[in-house]
Every structure is written in C-alpha cells, then in structure tokens.
Amino acid sequence: MALSQRLDLRQTQSLVMTPQLQQAIKLLQLSNLELLDFVETELEQNPLLERDERDPEAPMIPETGPNAVEAPAAPAEAVQALDGASSFEGDDKDSWAAASGAEGQGEVDYAGDADAWKTRSGGSGEGGDLPGLEETLRQGITLREHLVGQLNCDIDDPVDRMIGLFMIDLVDDAGYLTADLAEIAKTLGCTIEQAESVLQRLQRFDPSGIFARNLAECLAIQLRERQRLDPCMQRLLDHLPMLAARDVAGLMRICGADAEDLTEMVGEIKALNPKPGLAFDGVPTQPVVPDILMRAQPGGGWLIELNNDTLPRVLVNTRYYSKVSRSVSGKPDRDYLSERLQSANWLVKSLHQRANTILKVATEIVRQQEAFFAHGVSQLRPLILRDIAEAIGMHESTVSRVTSNKYVATPRGLFELKYFFTSSIPAANGAAAHSAEAVKFKIKGLIETETAAEVLSDDRLVELLRVEGIDIARRTVAKYREALRIPSSVLRRRDKSLGI
C-alpha cells in the first residue's frame, strides 16, 4: 500500500476553560468574606472599577454630555439584580415570583446644632480632631491585664513582684501555669521556695483556679476557696482518671464513701470551672453573616432575598474610560485600557450571575424543604444535589459550589445550605424515605428521655425506630449516636448512677 499526503478538514468540539470562565467559577464558590477580599484586590488593580456607593433605591439618571458613553448592558443588569428576591406561596413551583428585596433606609433625626454634625457616620467633621464612634468603644480587659492589676495591689516586694510578672507571662489562655517551678527559679536566679511562695499568693487571685499546674490542682484551688476540700474530696481529685473511667467501685473504696456521698462530690466537681482563664482573652467569635435572608410573608409562604450587606457593588467608570481613551495613542496603552475595560465588565457580569445563581438555588432548596421550616427538623426530607440541579436546570457541580460556605438566615436559625442535603433512610412500611438528619434527631430525642432504670441500648433504639416506620440497621444507629457524641448505653448507665 503506497503512502500519500492529503489535506482533510475535521470539525471537533472541546471545552476551553478561558480565564474569564475560571474567574466566574471561582467567584461562585467564594464565601462572602472571600468575595469582598477578591473585589477589593480588583478595585486596587483596575482603574476602571469603582465602588458603587449610590442608594440602591434611588433611580438611575443617565449621563448626558460629550463624555457620555453607552454603558454595557451586563453591568446595568448586575446592579439591579443584586437587590433581587424571590417569594414563595404554597407548593406550586410557578408561584415563585420576583420581588424587591431592598428595604427603605430610615431617616435619622440629629438634634442640636446642625453645624456640629458634619457627617452621618459619627466622624470628627472637617477638623478631624475628634475620634470616630468606632474608636470610642470600650475594649475588654485581657487576662494578663487583670492579673497584673491584682499583682500591683497585693504584692509590694519588688523581687516577688518580678517573679509574679514572669509567671503571669507563662499562663496560657486556659489559666494554667505552663512552666515548672524549678525552671522558673533557675531562669530568675531565685530559690524554689521563693518561687513556690509567690505562686501560692498568685493562686489566690481572681478568677478562682488560676495559676494551677494541672486539672486536679485547679479544682482543688476552687474547692479550697469554697471550704469543701476535705481529705475525701482530695483523694477523689488524686484519682480523676478513675472518675473518667467511671470506676465507681474503686472510687468508693479509695475515698471511703458510699454511692450517695460519691454522687454528691461528683456534682460539686461538675459545678467548678476547669478552664478559668477562658473568661478573658477569648478569641472574638466571628459571627457568620448570612448570604440569604428568609422570612415569612403575612399572607403565607416565604420571602427569600439576598443579603445586600454581603454583596459588593462595583461599577465600570465609563466616564474615566472615555476621557483616557482620547489621550491614548500607543498600541500598548490602548491594549491595556481595552483589557482593563473587558476585565471590569466581566467582573460585574460575574457578580450579577453569581447573585442570580445563589438566589435561584436557595429558592429551590426552601421550596423542597418547606416542611422543615414549618414543622422542624423531624420533617427534613432527603435531598441530594441532583434534585436541585434537575429542578433549576443546572449542573450538580454548580449547585455544589453555590452551597459551599453560603448561609441562610431563617426563622428557625442560621443554616449552611449544605445542611439541607442529607442521605435517605428507607421506611419500614414502604412509605417515603426519611432524612438521615431527621433520624439523628429522633435518636437524640429517645436517648434524652431515657431513665437511669431503663437505658436504651442500640438494639432497643432500632426496635423503637422501626415502630415509627424507620428501617435502620444497628450499626447505622451506632454510627449516628457516635456522630452526636453520645456515649454507649454502658457508659450512660454509669454516668446516670453517678449523677453525671
């Protein structure tokens, strides 16, 4: 067979991940905090982007004059879409209607001289001499400041005060001393007896239990201040591992107490604070800001809207683009300006698409889980990504990205969108399947109502669940119980006998 050359024309299709498409996918899965950081970076790098600080309720007035440039359609749509909302009434999918989610901003009446109020933000006015309101807020006292204040009042000797300051710096967040006295004495060049004397004085500081070197000493300090540290209680503190192992017989023998006295002592220990330092220096809790707001409508149904506070509002500065484009002559400058304009338009369009997609997915989730919002977690139905994707005509990967790190504020609390996706447990009588989360809720409820005389084993839980129409295996019950951090029936029986 002879070889020959020829020219063929073939047509193929392939998916190309352009940088713009990659950016749109990245924006979709970002949380609101990550999105704000990303937009801030883009505002710094792109001179054609600017923050939209206009009132979303105010009508848009088109610009006229020689510098007017026709704005792209996508950015204008994006600005309007960021205030979108959906309302739901009943079970009919077609009854979901678009509604405005923006709330009117109330007027603030400023009393006194108008000249004294230069801005509505509480700033210092034109002079800038007075601090803003956020700068006058009281800061919480730290653990170190609290201890140093007591040290300066209670210890007069300069040497002892120096030792005390050194020990304060060695206290961890829980309030425990993290160094050995021998190491402290060697570092400071003092005797162990002197370090021990200062430590005993420091252990009388507030909060009770501070400067302890272990858990037993922390509890002993608190009991001593309550005048409850008798020899029997001290022996119990010396054998805390046996208490953790629920060795009731061994503790009764060591402490020389009967079951009633042992239960009373365990109750006193439970009332103590094992980490007294956590009342100070706590890492401030970062509240989760919801991406979607949900509230009941007066006539029934739900209103779902995007949280405008979490949505960055940006615009393309077409006036600046028009002005600069007239003075640009070189090709590299024109290419750079064109690339910046394209990038700015794409970012605004991506933000618009992201907002619409989140609202669409959240709306469908609420529609399918309406029984949960009406009756509670016991009515949470099984749901997977495919159910939402098929209902709204999107790919499962898109729904997965949308539901990651996105939260919705509902009348029943704040939930991540991922919470509403649970596996199914088959029903015993052939009825509709049960949600795994609802089954966990039932298991927890059954265990909470058990008595010390009748602690429910996993086999007994299986029987009770089957009576309620839930076909579940024993190993699944054990897995759910461990996920709820509930101990086994043997440990629960011991805990109840000790009053724990």
Side-chain angles (χ1 to χ4, degrees):
M1 180 178 180
L3 298 178
S4 61
Q5 295 181 348
R6 63 179 183 178
L7 183 63
D8 290 336
L9 181 62
R10 297 180 180 179
Q11 184 177 6
T12 60
Q13 292 182 343
S14 62
L15 179 62
V16 179
M17 292 287 290
T18 63
Q20 291 82 3
L21 181 58
Q22 294 177 6
Q23 183 188 72
I25 294 176
K26 178 182 177 181
L27 293 180
L28 196 59
Q29 61 189 4
L30 292 180
S31 64
N32 48 35
L33 295 179
E34 294 170 340
L35 179 65
L36 290 176
D37 292 339
F38 177 81
V39 172
E40 286 293 332
T41 303
E42 290 296 318
L43 287 170
E44 294 176 0
Q45 297 177 354
N46 196 334
L48 298 183
L49 276 176
E50 65 177 11
R51 223 178 250 102
D52 183 13
E53 299 178 350
R54 298 174 301 176
D55 185 358
E57 293 288 335
M60 298 182 61
I61 301 176
E63 182 184 359
T64 59
N67 293 332
V69 177
E70 183 178 356
E77 294 173 359
V79 175
Q80 297 174 1
L82 294 181
D83 294 322
S86 294
S87 60
F88 170 67
E89 297 179 356
D91 296 328
D92 187 5
K93 181 179 178 182
D94 297 332
S95 62
W96 292 83
S100 175
E103 298 288 345
Q105 306 214 350
E107 296 295 332
V108 181
D109 184 15
Y110 289 89
D113 187 6
D115 294 334
W117 299 84
K118 299 300 182 183
T119 63
R120 303 178 74 181
S121 61
S124 58
E126 296 177 356
D129 297 326
L130 299 177
L133 177 62
E134 67 279 359
E135 300 179 34
T136 63
L137 298 178
R138 181 182 179 274
Q139 299 295 327
I141 187 172
T142 65
L143 176 61
R144 187 181 188 281
E145 293 171 348
H146 184 65
L147 296 176
V148 169
Q150 298 178 76
L151 177 71
N152 294 333
C153 294
D154 294 350
I155 299 180
D156 297 329
D157 185 84
V159 177
D160 292 347
R161 183 176 294 180
M162 182 64 67
I163 297 174
L165 284 172
F166 187 79
M167 290 184 179
I168 288 176
D169 291 333
L170 296 176
V171 173
D172 62 10
D173 293 339
Y176 288 84
L177 187 64
T178 58
D180 186 69
L181 285 182
E183 298 177 358
I184 296 175
K186 182 179 179 181
T187 302
L188 298 179
C190 63
T191 63
I192 297 181
E193 291 76 12
Q194 189 175 12
E196 179 71 31
S197 176
V198 174
L199 178 61
Q200 291 179 2
R201 300 179 65 179
L202 295 177
Q203 287 180 346
R204 293 196 292 267
F205 283 6
D206 179 75
S208 180
I210 202 73
F211 288 101
R213 286 161 287 186
N214 51 59
L215 177 60
E217 186 176 24
C218 177
L219 300 178
I221 293 172
Q222 299 179 57
L223 290 169
R224 186 181 298 111
E225 292 187 0
R226 301 184 182 189
Q227 297 182 356
R228 293 295 300 165
L229 188 61
D230 53 29
C232 185
M233 182 68 78
Q234 184 63 59
R235 287 193 292 270
L236 178 59
L237 295 180
D238 293 338
H239 297 83
L240 288 179
M242 296 179 62
L243 179 60
R246 276 73 172 177
D247 189 356
V248 179
L251 289 174
M252 292 172 57
R253 183 177 62 257
I254 292 174
C255 297
D258 55 17
E260 183 179 354
D261 292 337
L262 184 61
T263 302
E264 182 180 349
M265 289 190 296
V266 171
E268 292 183 18
I269 291 178
K270 287 175 58 181
L272 304 177
N273 186 1
K275 297 180 179 180
L278 293 185
F280 303 86
D281 282 346
V283 178
T285 303
Q286 296 293 337
V288 176
V289 180
D291 302 87
I292 306 104
L293 304 177
M294 172 186 172
R295 64 176 183 268
Q297 296 190 100
W302 307 97
L303 178 67
I304 299 93
E305 58 185 349
L306 296 175
N307 186 1
N308 291 329
D309 294 337
T310 65
L311 296 174
R313 304 176 63 87
V314 293
L315 291 175
V316 181
N317 194 337
T318 54
R319 177 184 297 179
Y320 181 71
Y321 170 75
S322 175
K323 180 179 179 180
V324 175
S325 60
R326 294 192 185 99
S327 60
V328 171
S329 57
K331 185 178 183 304
D333 295 338
R334 288 197 304 270
D335 293 342
Y336 171 78
L337 196 60
S338 176
E339 188 272 332
R340 291 290 87 187
L341 178 63
Q342 183 181 5
S343 176
N345 286 333
W346 186 267
L347 175 61
V348 177
K349 181 179 179 181
S350 299
L351 292 176
H352 162 63
Q353 184 178 6
R354 176 184 183 273
N356 283 342
T357 305
I358 292 176
L359 185 62
K360 194 173 184 179
V361 171
T363 299
E364 182 61 26
I365 290 176
V366 173
R367 189 187 71 84
Q368 297 206 24
Q369 295 289 6
E370 186 191 7
F372 164 78
F373 299 107
H375 306 289
V377 69
S378 60
Q379 299 298 319
L380 190 66
R381 56 166 292 189
L383 188 65
I384 58 177
L385 296 174
R386 188 186 306 113
D387 298 334
I388 301 296
E390 292 177 352
I392 63 178
M394 292 185 178
H395 196 270
E396 291 182 42
S397 61
T398 303
V399 178
S400 177
R401 292 187 180 96
V402 169
T403 54
S404 297
N405 300 318
K406 309 296 187 306
Y407 293 85
V408 53
T410 73
R412 292 195 174 272
L414 186 66
F415 298 94
E416 188 180 9
L417 292 181
K418 286 285 188 184
Y419 173 81
F420 301 102
F421 295 92
T422 60
S423 57
S424 61
I425 302 296
N429 51 8
H434 301 272
S435 166
E437 199 67 29
V439 174
K440 289 181 183 179
F441 179 78
K442 292 182 180 294
I443 292 174
K444 183 179 179 182
L446 291 173
I447 293 177
E448 287 178 348
T449 57
E450 68 183 6
T451 62
E454 187 181 358
V455 178
L456 301 176
S457 64
D458 291 345
D459 291 328
R460 179 59 179 162
L461 289 173
V462 170
E463 296 175 1
L464 295 176
L465 291 174
R466 286 181 177 172
V467 171
E468 297 187 18
I470 302 174
D471 187 10
I472 189 172
R474 180 186 179 279
R475 63 178 180 274
T476 307
V477 170
K479 181 180 69 173
Y480 288 171
R481 175 178 52 76
E482 293 173 357
L484 294 170
R485 296 183 178 180
I486 298 176
S488 64
S489 59
V490 176
L491 295 179
R492 297 202 306 275
R493 185 176 293 106
R494 291 179 181 178
D495 292 344
K496 292 181 183 298
S497 65
L498 286 173
I500 299 178

